[in-house]
């Protein structure tokens, strides 16, 4: 006899099911019915936690990306920044990137999804990882205290996203990643002194 799941256990089952639906069908193919069936629950349990499909889609994407979030500590800011960009580049070129692209494509036609994406961007896991990396550099004496700022931290990823968006390429060449770090990010960090 199976026991009824509740709380965190049920929430994790729903997020896992939604993440699998996103990975297999993209946001356009993810339905609350399919997520409920995959999670072995009912739609009411989902709607109590996420009021609409857009909220569940964003939460499921975060669930996917939190599991693969890089946290390099190479001992240098340059090394950490290059490793972060390289891993992000690999991730965005993978099935996780396909999920993000499907969410971005759907956001054009779904105002609720677009609002949620904007609303959650300040608390993005990747942004926090970059800020933590800058804080480690400050602690090592490699960067000025003022460099540990959210706008500074998000600059490399914004530039990487722009490469994808503007050039429409499936992966960004490594020399571009090196340029982002050496020609933009590190001078920005140093300039905060």
């Amino acid at each position: 006899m199976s026991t009824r799941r509740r709380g965190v256990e049920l929430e994790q089952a729903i997020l896992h099911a939604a993440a699998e639906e996103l990975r297999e069908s993209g946001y356009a193919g993810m339905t609350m019915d399919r997520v409920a069936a995959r999670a072995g629950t009912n739609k009411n349990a989902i709607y109590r936690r996420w009021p609409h499909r857009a909220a569940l889609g964003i939460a499921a994407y975060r669930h996917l990306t939190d599991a693969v979030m890089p946290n390099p500590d190479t001992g240098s800011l340059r090394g950490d920044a290059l490793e972060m960009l390289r891993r992000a580049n690999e991730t965005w070129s993978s099935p996780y990137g396909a999920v993000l692209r499907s969410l971005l494509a759907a956001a054009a036609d779904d105002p609720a999804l677009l609002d949620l994406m904007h609303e959650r961007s300040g608390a993005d896991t990747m942004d926090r990882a970059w800020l933590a990396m800058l804080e480690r550099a400050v602690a090592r004496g490699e960067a000025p205290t003022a460099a540990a700022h959210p706008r500074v931290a998000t600059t490399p990823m914004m530039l990487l996203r722009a490469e994808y968006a503007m050039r429409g390429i499936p992966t960004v060449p490594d020399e571009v990643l090196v340029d982002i770090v050496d020609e933009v990010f590190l001078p920005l960090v140093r300039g905060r002194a």
Side-chain angles (χ1 to χ4, degrees), residues 12-28:
Q12 289 300 307
I14 293 167
L15 285 173
H16 180 73
E20 289 301 310
E21 285 295 321
L22 279 174
R23 208 180 346 229
E24 290 175 13
S25 307
Y27 181 73

Side-chain angles (χ1 to χ4, degrees), residues 55-158:
L56 179 59
I58 295 295
Y61 177 71
R62 297 243 181 270
H63 179 74
L64 275 174
T65 57
D66 285 352
V68 297
M69 182 52 52
N71 187 21
D73 191 356
T74 65
S76 78
L77 180 58
R78 183 180 189 274
D80 291 351
L82 282 171
E83 185 65 21
M84 287 283 278
L85 281 180
R86 286 174 175 147
R87 289 190 191 177
N89 196 29
E90 288 171 12
T91 298
W92 289 355
S93 302
S94 75
Y96 297 109
V99 169
L100 177 59
R101 289 189 296 278
S102 78
L103 285 168
L104 290 171
D109 297 325
D110 187 341
L113 181 60
L114 186 59
D115 288 345
L116 277 171
M117 291 177 88
H118 285 298
E119 186 180 297
R120 303 280 159 82
S121 66
D124 185 45
T125 304
M126 181 64 84
D127 293 352
R128 289 191 309 270
W130 278 88
L131 192 55
M133 179 182 56
L134 279 171
E135 290 167 350
R136 283 194 309 269
V138 168
R140 287 191 302 260
E142 192 179 3
T145 304
H149 186 277
R151 289 279 182 215
V152 175
T154 60
T155 298
M157 293 305 295
M158 296 304 282

Side-chain angles (χ1 to χ4, degrees), residues 4-15 17-18 32-33 35-52 55-56 59:
R4 187 171 170 180
R5 294 171 300 168
R6 297 181 188 275
V8 173
E9 182 184 4
L10 178 57
E11 186 172 302
Q12 289 300 307
I14 293 167
L15 285 173
M32 296 301 227
D33 285 326
V35 171
R38 188 179 281 244
T41 190
N42 60 56
K43 288 193 305 185
N44 290 337
I46 297 173
Y47 282 115
R48 278 193 298 273
R49 289 159 179 82
W50 297 280
H52 43 74
L56 179 59

